[in-house]
Amino acid sequence: MEIKKVAILIKTSIQFDGRVISQIESLSEHFNNTEFRIFLLSDGPYNILFSKNCVIDEINLFSRKLPKSNIFQLFKMLEFGVKSFFKIRKFKPDVLHIHDDTSSFGGGLFKVYYPQTKVIYDDHELKYIRSNKLFDKLMFFLEYILYRKSDIVIVANNERRRLSSVIYNRKNIEVHENYFHNRKTKKNKVDSLIKLINKINLLHLEGQKIILHQGQINEVRGLKEFIKLANKLPDNFIILTIGISYVQYQHLLKSVNTLKHTRLIFGGYIEYEHISEVYKIIDYSLIIYKNFNLNNKYCAPNRVYLSYYFGKPIIVNSENHVLFNFIKNTNSGVLLEENSNLDSVFKELDGLSNLTNHSYVRNDINPKKIIDIYYKLIKS
């Protein structure tokens, strides 16, 4: 089988989606004579360029103007599915690469009508399992069909593979971790990022150590633990938050002792193309996923691999077995227990340096895995 055209179907904020960017970069660079077309339902403005053989074809929905409700959500799913179906049919791909369950209706519909087209389904999340909501049951059914019809199914870690194989009754599931692809970019840094980098460098000169928290801070992402850590920060530790809005940051400060407000820094949103600039200069990474749902319990966050790639010790909650096992297997950080002595935790962190003997590039998080998966599809 020769792959001349690949259609990639996705709903996302593509500028911040490390998993999608990493895969597209690796594939378009390796298969440089293949035409890649990204059929994108964007969750926000974007300004990103890929290789010359890779083009974004944006899908716009009228139904996005409708109020938020389960009924209108159904209309959005149907409109996205129908529009993507006709766009992909016109493109006539050899391979359809579907990302996440939000694309399951259009992708599944295409596979039913054009069964000769090879389909890869990359399951990003475990959202609709065990739900009693009618819409969720529908989405689960559509995803189940994709699991059964797709030529290759990909998940983000071994824990998800074991769970998915039982739920969807499929044995041959590939694992592709959320590895970091060190993307070369010609885009200039925005002023806010330049100021943030200068500020971090200045803090280092003052003897401060920076703990980075990337992404939302809520109950399922360890809000309680974050506040405890913030309130116990020693005089030589700072927490930097990125991936949240300034309004969210201000709301967060209200839960933290006012004496510690100067110990928290707002970093805003950082595009994936420049995220490495931040990870290079921080000292530690804080990642907490509470076991409130299956998606969190079997988490596979990009920032685990980002931190590991740049050799930064990671602070994780021990109750999450995926994070616990990663730290134990790679000896790459500190475990936060339910009743941890935080003074001891900071003392342990203070004695840690950057990881220099990690095997990221060598074997255990191999950036070439997605290419190997495509070769497996070619040989099938």
Side-chain angles (χ1 to χ4, degrees), residues 154-368:
I154 308 172
V155 295
N157 58 33
N158 285 308
E159 290 82 4
R160 289 186 176 222
R161 175 166 60 181
R162 285 194 292 269
L163 181 65
S164 297
S165 65
V166 174
I167 293 171
Y168 298 104
N169 192 26
R170 180 175 178 132
K171 292 181 180 179
N172 55 329
I173 298 175
E174 302 286 338
V175 172
H176 187 268
E177 294 90 346
N178 286 322
Y179 67 84
F180 173 67
H181 182 87
N182 207 349
R183 192 169 200 256
K184 296 177 182 178
T185 179
K186 295 180 180 179
K187 285 181 68 175
N188 293 325
K189 302 182 188 74
V190 295
D191 289 342
S192 58
L193 177 57
I194 293 171
K195 289 178 181 177
L196 178 63
I197 291 170
N198 290 338
K199 187 170 187 176
I200 293 171
N201 288 331
L202 181 61
L203 287 167
H204 277 145
L205 289 174
E206 295 172 355
Q208 297 292 327
K209 296 194 174 183
I210 312 297
I211 301 173
L212 174 68
H213 186 285
Q214 180 185 353
Q216 296 299 309
I217 307 171
N218 50 35
E219 188 179 7
V220 296
R221 297 288 177 88
L223 174 62
K224 182 180 174 183
E225 287 77 8
F226 182 96
I227 293 170
K228 281 183 179 180
L229 277 172
N231 286 334
K232 292 289 287 185
L233 281 170
D235 291 340
N236 63 326
F237 276 83
I238 297 281
I239 294 181
L240 166 64
T241 63
I242 63 173
I244 61 173
S245 69
Y246 189 69
V247 172
Q248 290 171 317
Y249 170 74
Q250 289 290 331
H251 183 72
L252 181 65
L253 285 180
K254 293 177 182 178
S255 303
V256 176
N257 190 317
T258 53
L259 296 175
K260 298 295 182 180
H261 283 191
T262 57
R263 306 267 105 210
L264 271 63
I265 299 176
F266 173 71
Y269 292 98
I270 313 294
E271 291 184 5
Y272 186 80
E273 290 180 286
H274 291 132
I275 196 71
S276 61
E277 300 292 335
V278 175
Y279 273 84
K280 285 177 186 175
I281 57 176
I282 55 103
D283 298 288
Y284 316 100
S285 180
L286 173 63
I287 304 170
I288 297 175
Y289 275 69
K290 306 294 286 184
N291 293 336
F292 291 166
N293 54 51
L294 290 175
N295 207 39
N296 270 15
K297 187 175 182 179
Y298 300 100
C299 66
N302 291 300
R303 50 195 180 277
V304 168
Y305 304 102
L306 261 167
S307 305
Y308 190 50
Y309 182 92
F310 287 103
K312 306 301 179 180
I314 312 167
I315 311 159
V316 304
N317 56 317
S318 62
E319 71 185 79
N320 187 296
H321 290 291
V322 177
L323 296 177
F324 175 92
N325 289 334
F326 185 90
I327 296 301
K328 285 295 185 183
N329 292 337
T330 59
N331 194 28
S332 58
V334 173
L335 296 170
L336 198 61
E337 306 281 351
E338 181 71 26
N339 298 308
S340 287
N341 183 318
L342 296 182
D343 292 329
S344 298
V345 169
F346 285 115
K347 188 175 180 179
E348 185 178 357
L349 287 173
D350 213 10
L352 290 176
S353 58
N354 281 3
L355 311 171
T356 55
N357 187 29
H358 57 88
S359 53
Y360 181 99
V361 178
R362 292 200 298 275
N363 50 39
D364 57 321
I365 309 171
N366 184 358
K368 293 182 180 179

Side-chain angles (χ1 to χ4, degrees), residues 62-76:
F62 168 79
S63 54
R64 279 194 153 178
K65 299 177 182 178
L66 299 172
K68 290 184 178 180
S69 73
N70 283 338
I71 292 193
F72 291 131
Q73 193 176 5
L74 178 62
F75 281 120
K76 291 173 191 174

